[in-house]
Structure formats: C-alpha cells, structure tokens
Amino acid sequence: MLIESVDVLVSSPGRNFVTLRITTDDGLTGLGDATLNGRELAVAVYLSEHVVPLLVGRDAANIEDTWQYLYRGAYWRRGPVTMAAIAAVDTALWDIMAKAAKMPLYQLLGGRSRTGLLTYGHASGVDLPELFDSIREHLDEGYRAIRVQTGIPGLPSVYGVAHSSNAATGTGSGTDSRYDYEPARRGALPVEETWDTRAYLRHIPGVFEAVRSEFGPELTLLHDAHHRLTPIQAAKLGKSLEPYDLFWLEDVTPAENQSALRRVREHTTTPLAIGEVFNTIWDYRELFEEQLIDYVRSPVTHAGGITGLRRIFDFASIYQIKSGAHGPTDVSPVGLSAAIHLGIAIPNFGIQEYMQHSPATHEVFRTTYKFEGGMLAPSDAPGLGIEYDDEAAAGHPYERAYLPVNRLLDGTVHDW
Ligand code: EZ4
Ligand code: CO
C-alpha cells in the first residue's frame, strides 16, 4: 500500500488548524493533526516543502521506519515544528492502517484497557461567584474533574480566565455560541497581559478553600500555574494547596530546566503535571528517572504522534507516572481522537483534558467519539473515526493569530 498523495489542509473554523491528509494507491485516506497554536504556517510549510516530497511512494505500512526517517533523517532533531509535522504523518498512517484492518485504531494499539477516559474541563471566573457558576455549568455537563482558574485582584486579565460578558452572550468567537478563551487571538499583534506572582500566591489558596467548602471534598480539582513560578515559589504554592487535595498542579515552572522540579518535590506532596510544551521522550528523562512528576502532559499532536507519545507513556509507566494529555481546543478533533484511542489502550492512563471544540470546528471535523458522564470514548468506526469536510473548511480561511505575551508590572517580559 503506497502513499499516492498528501494534502496539507489549513483552515480556521473559529481558530486555526493544520491537518495532514494522506491518500494511498488503494484509495484509503488518513488524517493527522499538525496544529501549533500561533505558529501554524511554520508547520504547514515544513510539511509541504520538506516532508510531503519524502512521503509520496513510501509504503504506508512502515510507520516506525517513516517516523525514524523523518526524525533521524532530518539531522535537525526535536522542536515543536518538527515534532508536530512528524506527529501528523504518524497519526495519518495509523489511521490508514486501522482503516485497512477495518478496525478502530485502539484495536491496533492493544485493545481496550478501560471503558472510557476520565476527562477534566476548564472552569474559570474573574471572581468567586463567577467561578462557582462556571463550576456548576461544568458539573451540569457531566464533568467529574475540573480545572480551576481565577482572576487575581489587581491584574486586569489572567491566563485561563474567560471574560463573563463573552461567556454569557457567545460573542467571543465568530458565530460560535461558546466563548473559547484559549485560541491565539486574531489581530495584528499579540495581546499583552500583566503578571504579579506575589499577588497570585496570596490569592490562590483562598480560592481553593472557598471551592472546597462550596463543593465538598470529593470533586476532583486541578490547577495550572502556566510556567510562571520559580522553583521556590512553586514549592510554596504546592505546600499551600496541600489541604485542598488537588489531583494535580500543572506547569509550576518553565520545565526545560528539569532539575528545578527537585526543589519543588522536596517541599510538597501536591502531585505535579508537566509537559504540554515537551516534544520528545528525552525531554522527560530526568523528570521520570528521578520521579519528579506524576503526570505526562504531552499530546499526540506535539510529541511525534501515536508512536512518539506511546513510547513516552511506556517509559513513564515504569515509574508509576500516568498520562494526562493536553487537550485544549488548539489540539484539533483529529489530535483529540488520536489521544482517545491511545488513552483507552495504554495501561497507565491518568486523565484527559477536554475543553470541547466549537460548533464551527465540528462543521469541518466530523467526529464520532462520545462524551458522556464526564468520560470520553472512541467509536468503533475504522481508524480514528474522523472526517474532514473540505467544503465546510473552504468557508474558514486562515487568519494570523498570536498567543498573548506576558509582562511583569515593571514591563519585564515574563513566561506566559
Ligand atoms: O496555554 O493550549 O493546559 N492548557 C494550557 C493551554 C495552553 C494552550 C497553548 O496553545 O495550558 O491553555
Ligand atoms: Co497547561
């Protein structure tokens, strides 16, 4: 079964997505997600100029060899652009092979290890009443685990907090009824936000205390510090949140300095999750071997596909570290479906982030996975179970969009 043609599809149904479609000589097609939020065209051009010419004529069945060829063969290793491109090729080939076998992808990965994937959604509010409303809405939608982010007194806008006017009226994102505060924002230049770590550290423990006393001890709660703290600040946050029994605390430090997590670990038993910006197994070596984290955040889309991420999860499993794959709306339904098939099969599944894509996104990406009672499950359609609607996509052309940039109160550029 030879690869006959490859299309790099860029569309923007509510937000930008890059999708790879591989077609074989016997007419099978496979999809892969190559979306890198705010840097979409870098991956699209990497694919069309450097990768697609290498694919045509290759045997679609040799997935591992193609992965190694694109990774080692490029000489320039790792990095989000390269690894998103490899991920898209890898995922599309798994989709094709599962369709050729007339099986859902998870069957090729070893079959079901569980009935569904526990997910968590994103609740947020500028203040406590708004946050409580948002948590209640998520509970009504069936979520059993909830990420909690709030506004910080004195800061005009903060990562992960939707603006209520948009949330209520649905005016945030084109014709979508649901405001999506995660996409890179459309416009000429990035939005600039301000940050004050001391104000954040003062405010957050009180938020979790209030949430626990309102919603009780059983609800699964998570929080994302989005790379903004030093190791000692992170240690302090983890310690101060211990009474509120978090499922995890995410991205406390910019973790390319892996040894920073030693300092955090020495001080707190709050579980730690890291890796949404990591691309390869090597990014985790120290974190795994020293058991410095509890959950792996890489998604299929940014970590070299099914092949790359499954290897990372296997390495994690020998240290009792579990999966917690990134699932924002900038991972397309193709990337999410790949995560669902992988997550249902692996032995060390932890939790899956699930933000829910907008109606416009679902017009372009026809999905078959199910979300019920807070759990995601793959369908038994062959392959990934996703179809890409070219006609619908044509109505949503690419628009440049940037993620925000973060500054301290004195203007210093800080981690976002
Ligand atoms: O900022 O996906 O846990 N989720 C996150 C996300 C990321 C965006 C970046 O593209 O941190 O909101
Ligand atoms: Co995050």
Side-chain angles (χ1 to χ4, degrees):
M1 197 186 344
L2 301 181
I3 296 174
E4 194 170 80
S5 63
V6 185
D7 304 303
V8 180
L9 310 162
V10 180
S11 65
S12 194
R15 59 171 314 127
N16 293 321
F17 293 108
V18 179
T19 309
L20 193 73
R21 181 169 53 211
I22 297 180
T23 305
T24 63
D25 56 359
D26 49 8
L28 288 176
T29 60
L31 296 174
D33 179 24
T35 308
L36 188 61
N37 203 7
R39 292 292 185 272
E40 296 86 0
L41 297 190
V43 189
V45 171
Y46 187 93
L47 281 165
S48 59
E49 287 298 311
H50 305 298
V51 175
V52 170
L54 304 173
L55 296 178
V56 176
R58 289 183 76 83
D59 188 340
N62 292 340
I63 300 177
E64 181 68 39
D65 182 67
T66 298
W67 198 99
Q68 299 295 338
Y69 187 83
L70 295 177
Y71 183 83
R72 294 175 200 273
Y75 186 61
W76 309 109
R77 296 178 181 210
R78 305 158 64 173
V81 174
T82 305
M83 297 311 289
I86 293 176
V89 174
D90 183 81
T91 306
L93 293 180
W94 278 107
D95 190 16
I96 285 170
M97 293 316 295
K99 284 178 183 169
K102 299 186 168 52
M103 288 175 179
L105 173 57
Y106 70 82
Q107 206 64 62
L108 288 196
L109 302 174
R112 276 179 191 272
S113 293
R114 57 195 53 78
T115 53
L117 275 58
L118 176 68
T119 66
Y120 72 91
H122 290 195
S124 73
V126 294
D127 52 23
L128 285 178
E130 248 188 52
L131 173 64
F132 287 4
D133 286 349
S134 175
I135 292 174
R136 282 190 197 99
E137 280 163 27
H138 281 80
L139 292 173
D140 290 347
E141 287 178 41
Y143 283 105
R144 302 184 203 167
I146 296 179
R147 192 186 85 161
V148 168
Q149 308 292 133
T150 62
I152 310 295
L155 298 180
S157 65
V158 175
Y159 163 78
V161 181
H163 293 285
S164 56
S165 53
N166 287 336
T169 61
T171 55
S173 181
T175 53
D176 299 345
S177 60
R178 183 174 174 276
Y179 177 62
D180 181 352
Y181 49 85
E182 288 294 321
R185 277 160 234 193
R186 289 151 198 260
L189 293 169
V191 168
E192 296 212 352
E193 296 177 346
T194 46
W195 181 247
D196 178 355
T197 301
R198 294 193 67 231
Y200 168 76
L201 292 176
R202 281 196 304 275
H203 188 65
I204 289 296
V207 169
F208 276 90
E209 186 180 18
V211 170
R212 275 284 173 234
S213 63
E214 180 74 14
F215 294 94
E218 278 170 36
L219 182 59
T220 299
L221 298 175
L222 305 87
H223 180 68
D224 191 348
H226 226 250
H227 326 269
R228 292 166 184 217
L229 310 178
T230 64
I232 207 69
Q233 290 167 341
K236 182 178 174 172
L237 178 65
K239 218 169 155 176
S240 68
L241 293 178
E242 278 172 23
Y244 313 114
D245 188 28
L246 267 60
F247 184 90
W248 80 37
L249 181 57
E250 175 179 339
D251 283 339
V252 282
T253 61
E256 57 260 50
N257 175 14
Q258 298 189 21
S259 60
L261 272 295
R262 276 187 214 141
R263 184 71 67 247
V264 185
R265 263 308 207 220
E266 277 164 12
H267 292 282
T268 182
T269 57
T270 294
L272 302 175
I274 285 223
E276 67 183 47
V277 300
F278 289 6
N279 317 117
T280 68
I281 197 164
W282 293 276
D283 298 331
Y284 285 102
R285 197 173 58 80
E286 213 175 319
L287 296 178
F288 287 175
E289 288 175 353
E290 296 190 32
Q291 304 185 47
L292 299 178
I293 60 170
D294 302 282
Y295 296 93
V296 172
R297 291 283 292 143
S298 290
V300 169
T301 306
H302 302 138
I306 298 278
T307 301
L309 190 58
R310 183 161 68 162
R311 198 164 281 142
I312 292 172
F313 287 158
D314 281 342
F315 182 21
S317 73
I318 68 175
Y319 302 104
Q320 295 174 283
I321 296 168
K322 294 189 173 190
S323 75
H326 199 201
T329 48
D330 49 274
V331 164
S332 86
V334 174
L336 179 68
S337 186
I340 296 169
H341 283 274
L342 185 59
I344 207 97
I346 56 171
N348 55 333
F349 174 78
I351 200 165
Q352 172 65 49
E353 184 179 24
Y354 182 47
M355 273 183 73
Q356 301 189 34
H357 292 98
S358 69
T361 299
H362 281 288
E363 281 168 24
V364 174
F365 297 90
R366 301 276 162 75
T367 60
T368 56
Y369 48 76
K370 290 274 173 299
F371 179 61
E372 246 177 54
M375 311 285 279
L376 273 170
S379 75
D380 280 335
L384 286 171
I386 307 283
E387 277 176 35
Y388 188 87
D389 186 329
D390 290 278
E391 235 169 83
H396 300 281
Y398 168 80
E399 283 179 58
R400 187 165 60 215
Y402 287 102
L403 283 163
V405 170
N406 203 19
R407 291 185 188 274
L408 302 180
L409 296 174
D410 71 357
T412 307
V413 174
H414 193 60
D415 302 285
W416 178 67

